[in-house]
Amino acid sequence: MDSYRREELMLLSNSIKLNDETVLFSGLDDNLALLEGPKSSWNSILKTGINAIQTDWPDILYQYRQTL
């Protein structure tokens, strides 16, 4: 992951909840972020080195990222 970061590449994760059967990125999705708080989902994604999160809630994610 560090080699990608050094090259300043965008590392994208999808946190959109598709349906109840499909689990993406270990269940770290928008529903978890909204129901349990951004630290429980989006923060965990960002800690992996991902620097871009695709979400249905960009305004809420933006507000959260401003607090980091």
Side-chain angles (χ1 to χ4, degrees):
M1 190 70 82
D2 288 336
S3 64
Y4 293 115
R5 302 283 294 183
R6 281 192 296 275
E7 293 185 33
E8 298 182 18
L9 299 174
M10 181 177 70
L11 303 172
L12 174 73
S13 173
N14 185 344
S15 71
I16 296 172
K17 180 76 171 179
L18 299 177
N19 56 50
D20 290 335
E21 290 82 35
T22 305
V23 177
L24 301 174
F25 212 81
S26 300
L28 301 173
D29 58 38
D30 286 347
N31 288 9
L32 185 63
L34 296 174
L35 295 173
E36 295 186 20
K39 282 187 175 184
S40 63
S41 177
W42 295 330
N43 191 57
S44 298
I45 292 172
L46 293 170
K47 282 185 174 181
T48 68
I50 297 293
N51 55 16
I53 299 175
Q54 181 177 356
T55 176
D56 281 334
W57 305 95
D59 292 338
I60 297 171
L61 175 58
Y62 174 80
Q63 289 172 12
Y64 173 67
R65 291 190 78 169
Q66 295 305 302
T67 68
L68 300 177

